[in-house]
Structure formats: C-alpha cells, structure tokens
Amino acid sequence: MEARNVTEFVLLGLTSDPRAQALLFVLFLVIYVSILVGNLLMLALISSDSHLCTPMYFFLRHLSFMDAFYSSVIVPNLLRNLISEWKTISSLGCFIQIALVIFSGATEACLLSAMAYDRFQAVCHPLLYVVTMSGKVCSGMVAMSWAVGMSVSLINTLLLAQEDFCGPNLIRSFACELPPVLLLACSDPHTTVASILTTLVVLGFGTLVLLLGSYGRIIMTALGIDSATSRSKIFSTCSSHFLVVTIFYGSGVFRYMTPASGSAMEQVLSLQYSVVTPLLNPLIYSLKNKDVKAALRKMLTRKYRLSL
C-alpha cells in the first residue's frame, strides 16, 4: 500500500515554535502516561476481581484496551515529532496509521453503543437482564464490534491507497488521518469520499441512533421512578456518559464530514477523540464506580500484605 510517486510524507505537526513544542511534549507525555495507567489499571482490576465479572465490566474491559491502543497509535508518533527535526513518515507507515486510526475509532463507536444498550437492558428490563445480556450475547457484540472496525478500516484504507499522490507531501496535521491525506491526492477521490460518507452514515449515525435511543429510554424510565435517590443516580451516570459520547462522536463526525483544510480547529477535533476521550473514559465509566473503588482497595491491600 505505497503512495505512487510519493515515498514519504511530512507531518507539519501542531506548531513550529521550539518552546511551544517542548511544553507540548511534556503535556502530552503526562497525558499519555495517564491514559496508559488509567486504562491498564482498569484491565487489571476487571480481570482479577470476581465481583466485576458482569456484562458492564466485560464491555469496559474491551473499551479500556481499545482506548490504550487508540492513544498508542497517535501519541508516541506525536511525541517523537515534537522533539525531532525530521518529521517524516513513510507512505507505508502513514497508511498503516490511517488503517489503525479508522479501526480504533469504528470499534470504539460500536463498543460505546453496546455499553449503552447494556445499561438500557439493566435499567428498563432488569428481570430479563441476565437472559438478554448473557455471556454469549456479550461476546457476540464485542466480536461484531471488532469485525466492523476491521472491515471499515480495510475498505477505506485500500480505497485511499489506490489514489495517486504526486506531491506536495506536506500533511497539515500531527498524525496521518484520512481527511488531510486525501487532500493531497492528485487523482479524483470521489470513490474514497463516497466510502467515507457511507461509513459515517451507516456506522457513525447508526451507532449514534442506537446509543441515543438507549439513553433516551433510560431517562424516560428514570422519570417514572418514585425514589429520588435512584433517579438522581441514573441521571448522574447518564450525564457523564453522554459527555464522553458528545466529545467522541461530535469531534469525529465534524472531522470526517467537513472538507480538510489543515486548520487548528481540525487538529483540536482530532485530539479530542484520539487523546481526550481515552483519558476521560477510565474516570467517567469506571473509576467513579464504587465497585471499582472496592476492587482497587482490595488489590492495593493484597499487594501491601505481600510486600510485608
């Protein structure tokens, strides 16, 4: 999958100011370490504590893995470019990064929708929850999420690789993503553009409708609950989840639906769904949960006793 005539691309990055680059390097290094620690800690807790063997935490485990993977596709290369004079990436490396970004984003969108559907079943149909969200069903939903992500990534990346790239090779971004790279194509990109739009409509809006529909039913059910404490708990959970969904979907849809121009706003949108969301997910979905806190205390206590 090499671009014709062009063997490498140049990533112009976030800024050309050396002092700003140094500050950004420290900032993104701290963020990246926080993302890895938060998500890998969630993986360890869910895998080691039998009390977290429920459908919700089964989905959270896969979401944590995907968040750590997603940020690792983007941030290490961003850090390298911030401290390196040579900001080039081979055409093959660029297309691989594009494929992994699409795979990660599509899979995460499916996982977020699956998690919303899980909460809908738990709140609206609690008596049938064990049957509806059986281990087989949950495994099938995760497998489908991964399969959709791989398929969407393969189709869109292969179509992009068929385009002619004869120069210039300057990517106005900090990473290889489909919109800014497609902007450099010398050939008519109508097939690739049609594929992107189809993906957004079928996958993006499809999962978003499922997600909003699930949370809408949850809110309607909560309004009918007499207990103010239970109602407040449901609204608190839904509002924090909705914040993550808004950041992820809003930035992703605008990034891929608007024509690429290399503006600062486009780079901010890319950072939101590739860096901010993986940072927030462990806090909002997991670390606020009392069961997760109990599992963390248990793990720390066990390690402390072993160290004595």
Side-chain angles (χ1 to χ4, degrees), residues 208-227:
L208 182 59
V209 167
L210 176 61
L211 195 149
L212 294 179
S214 297
Y215 281 126
R217 288 291 303 276
I218 290 172
I219 292 173
M220 290 176 63
T221 301
L223 292 174
I225 297 177
D226 294 331
S227 172

Side-chain angles (χ1 to χ4, degrees), residues 7-285:
T7 59
E8 64 180 17
F9 293 99
V10 178
L11 295 168
L12 297 182
L14 296 171
T15 178
S16 58
D17 185 345
R19 288 180 295 183
Q21 288 179 343
L23 291 175
L24 288 173
F25 176 84
V26 174
L27 173 63
F28 284 113
L29 179 61
V30 172
I31 291 176
Y32 182 54
V33 171
S34 301
I35 290 172
L36 291 182
V37 170
N39 286 288
L40 294 181
L41 178 60
M42 284 309 309
L43 279 172
L45 288 175
I46 295 172
S47 300
S48 63
D49 196 302
S50 59
H51 293 93
L52 302 182
C53 294
T54 64
M56 180 178 71
Y57 293 108
F58 176 76
F59 289 123
L60 280 173
R61 183 172 61 183
H62 286 272
L63 182 68
S64 295
F65 172 81
M66 189 53 59
D67 280 335
F69 177 80
Y70 198 177
S71 60
S72 296
V73 172
I74 297 292
V75 183
N77 192 59
L78 168 61
L79 293 173
R80 181 183 68 84
N81 287 341
L82 285 171
I83 60 174
S84 174
E85 293 184 8
W86 305 101
K87 306 181 187 301
T88 59
I89 183 172
S90 68
S91 58
L92 177 60
C94 188
F95 283 117
I96 290 176
Q97 188 175 53
I98 289 172
L100 293 178
V101 167
I102 296 174
F103 161 71
S104 303
T107 304
E108 181 146 340
C110 293
L111 286 174
L112 288 172
S113 296
M115 293 169 65
Y117 179 74
D118 170 70
R119 292 299 83 203
F120 157 69
Q121 291 293 343
V123 173
C124 301
H125 305 289
L127 298 180
L128 298 175
Y129 178 68
V130 176
V131 176
T132 305
M133 300 303 296
S134 64
K136 186 176 181 180
V137 171
C138 293
S139 297
M141 293 175 74
V142 168
M144 182 64 70
S145 299
W146 282 69
V148 170
M150 291 179 183
S151 301
V152 168
S153 171
L154 184 63
I155 292 171
N156 284 281
T157 306
L158 288 177
L159 285 175
L160 179 66
Q162 300 305 310
E163 304 290 346
D164 293 326
F165 295 89
C166 47
N169 65 340
L170 303 178
I171 300 177
R172 298 183 180 279
S173 182
F174 57 86
C176 281
E177 292 187 285
L178 206 157
V181 174
L182 185 59
L183 189 66
L184 303 177
C186 303
S187 53
D188 185 0
H190 68 275
T191 302
T192 306
V193 172
S195 176
I196 296 172
L197 294 177
T198 302
T199 300
L200 284 172
V201 171
V202 176
L203 176 62
F205 288 108
T207 55
L208 182 59
V209 167
L210 176 61
L211 195 149
L212 294 179
S214 297
Y215 281 126
R217 288 291 303 276
I218 290 172
I219 292 173
M220 290 176 63
T221 301
L223 292 174
I225 297 177
D226 294 331
S227 172
T229 303
S230 299
R231 189 165 57 246
S232 176
K233 183 179 178 181
I234 293 175
F235 282 133
S236 176
T237 302
C238 286
S239 62
S240 54
H241 290 191
F242 192 72
L243 173 63
V244 172
V245 169
T246 301
I247 294 174
F248 181 79
Y249 275 88
S251 56
V253 168
F254 278 110
R255 182 71 173 98
Y256 281 81
M257 284 202 70
T258 57
S261 62
S263 66
M265 178 55 66
E266 290 177 352
Q267 301 206 49
V268 170
L269 292 174
S270 295
L271 287 172
Q272 284 183 345
Y273 59 73
S274 62
V275 178
V276 176
T277 300
L279 179 64
L280 291 179
N281 276 342
L283 299 173
I284 289 179
Y285 278 100

